[in-house]
Amino acid sequence: MQIRVRCGCGESSCPEWAVVELQGVVQPQPSFAGDIRGLHIGRLCAAPSPSSSSSSKAGYTFTVGYHELAGTKVTLKKPLLVLRKKKVGGGDQEPSTTAAADVELEVIGIIRHKILFKDRPKALISKPPVKEKKTLQSAAA
Amino acid sequence: MDAEMKDADTQTEIEWDGGGGRADAMLGPIEDGASVSLCYYQAYGPHDDILLLEAADDLLPDLLQGRVIVRGRPDEEAVLCTPSTTPDNTNGDVVAAAIKLAPGSIELIQTAPRLDKLRNLLRERPYVLDERILGMTFSTKRGCTHGKTFVNLSSLVTVRCQME
């Protein structure tokens, strides 16, 4: 039994995919539980580089609801190939391997980088109420 | 628990249109403060037909040029054969979409040839000097169905596939 790995795009023009790696689980609001297709998850933003001298790793922030995650773009030690199982009509394979000839693997993309968010998210709603309290106190005093 | 989301092009259940993905929008040189909206793709789903294969840089050219075959019997570990191991084988609002939650990837481990299997196959049909076979052309011998040819045996040299 043998399965051929094919690539229609070629070495130089293989579409680049990406992995966004998060710690934990992304859970949609219960009202969207039925169908999350097309649902907006969050906003990925290139972080203004605070340490301009060590700019080897690009910084990103990912804002999901009231949570903000800080992450970096990481180059994978070994690239990942995105393969898709594809059924093919037999005929061009050896007759003795017709069962396996029904399936082949097609390379549809390559992943060389991932954007890694490995820290706990920062809550975005905790600060504003504190400021309001301070101003109220100063106003009362 | 790690959660991974793959950003990419379109895919099966709704139908793969072969269009370009938006990973470039995320990975390209983004200026400070620029942002990309990330959403679930319209065809988001389990997509069991999509796999991730970890491929070292030295394997990439063979994989991208279609010179790789996965071999093995159903009761064996899958073997990925390359030519070097098997000599017989010849700026508006940009949106990026997540297509699937990736549970893991397939890791490749280089392994030694399966010599036991080779020995058993050779034992099935020991070499006998046969004048009728000597009379045949080389190409005819390769196509011989009852003998063990080099093409059969070279599939035993392996790179093993393993699910993480």
Side-chain angles (χ1 to χ4, degrees):
Chain A
M1 177 176 179
Q2 61 178 29
I3 300 170
R4 184 168 288 276
V5 181
R6 293 188 186 277
C7 179
C9 43
E11 196 171 352
S12 57
S13 56
C14 200
E16 184 111 4
W17 290 40
V19 167
V20 177
E21 185 172 329
L22 308 171
Q23 306 298 319
V25 181
V26 179
Q27 281 186 316
Q29 297 278 358
S31 54
F32 294 106
D35 187 12
I36 56 172
R37 293 175 177 185
L39 182 67
H40 173 79
I41 302 169
R43 194 146 197 97
L44 189 69
C45 184
S49 47
S51 53
S52 55
S53 56
S54 60
S55 58
S56 58
K57 284 189 176 179
Y60 287 84
T61 58
F62 187 36
T63 309
V64 185
Y66 294 114
H67 299 281
E68 185 179 274
L69 299 92
T72 51
K73 183 166 89 173
V74 179
T75 302
L76 300 177
K77 284 180 187 167
K78 291 180 183 177
L80 291 169
L81 282 182
V82 187
L83 305 177
R84 185 166 58 137
K85 280 185 206 168
K86 193 177 168 188
K87 286 189 178 178
V88 289
D92 60 335
Q93 301 286 332
E94 294 170 27
S96 59
T97 58
T98 44
D102 293 336
V103 176
E104 66 179 26
L105 292 169
E106 184 187 12
V107 179
I108 55 174
I110 184 167
I111 301 172
R112 296 182 192 275
H113 307 277
K114 68 178 175 183
I115 301 177
L116 174 63
F117 297 94
K118 60 181 179 183
D119 298 324
R120 283 180 173 276
K122 189 173 75 178
L124 291 175
I125 53 170
S126 58
K127 284 182 182 174
V130 177
K131 278 183 184 175
E132 281 175 17
K133 275 184 185 174
K134 277 185 181 175
T135 50
L136 282 173
Q137 283 171 354
S138 59
Chain B
M1 172 183 149
D2 290 355
E4 290 183 347
M5 284 180 297
K6 232 166 359 92
D7 164 72
D9 304 36
T10 48
Q11 225 301 134
T12 52
E13 287 153 16
I14 285 190
E15 217 173 300
W16 172 271
D17 66 9
R22 300 306 305 168
D24 55 334
M26 294 163 54
L27 297 171
I30 302 179
E31 292 178 9
D32 286 356
S35 64
V36 173
S37 174
L38 187 63
C39 69
Y40 291 102
Y41 186 63
Q42 287 295 339
Y44 181 86
H47 292 294
D48 295 332
D49 57 336
I50 296 184
L51 310 165
L52 290 180
L53 175 70
E54 187 184 83
D57 285 326
D58 55 344
L59 278 175
L60 268 185
D62 289 333
L63 284 159
L64 295 178
Q65 288 168 23
R67 297 193 299 239
V68 168
I69 293 179
V70 181
R71 289 194 173 116
R73 291 180 177 164
D75 56 342
E76 294 174 339
E77 284 184 314
V79 169
L80 188 134
C81 305
T82 70
S84 58
T85 52
T86 55
D88 65 315
N89 284 323
T90 51
N91 255 337
D93 189 22
V94 183
V95 176
I99 194 164
K100 119 170 225 182
L101 183 72
S105 61
I106 300 169
E107 186 184 1
L108 295 177
I109 299 171
Q110 192 149 12
T111 62
R114 296 179 183 172
L115 295 178
D116 287 346
K117 191 173 173 185
L118 183 67
R119 199 174 294 124
N120 290 337
L121 285 168
L122 288 169
R123 206 173 282 149
E124 281 178 24
R125 185 177 167 79
Y127 174 73
V128 180
L129 183 64
D130 190 334
E131 288 183 0
R132 284 172 303 169
I133 292 177
L134 282 174
M136 294 179 184
T137 63
F138 179 70
S139 60
T140 312
K141 277 197 284 183
R142 279 175 68 95
C144 180
T145 52
H146 49 272
K148 296 299 176 191
T149 67
F150 185 67
V151 176
N152 298 136
L153 301 178
S154 58
S155 66
L156 302 169
V157 182
T158 65
V159 174
R160 194 171 8 132
C161 303
Q162 236 183 25
M163 203 66 187
E164 262 187 351

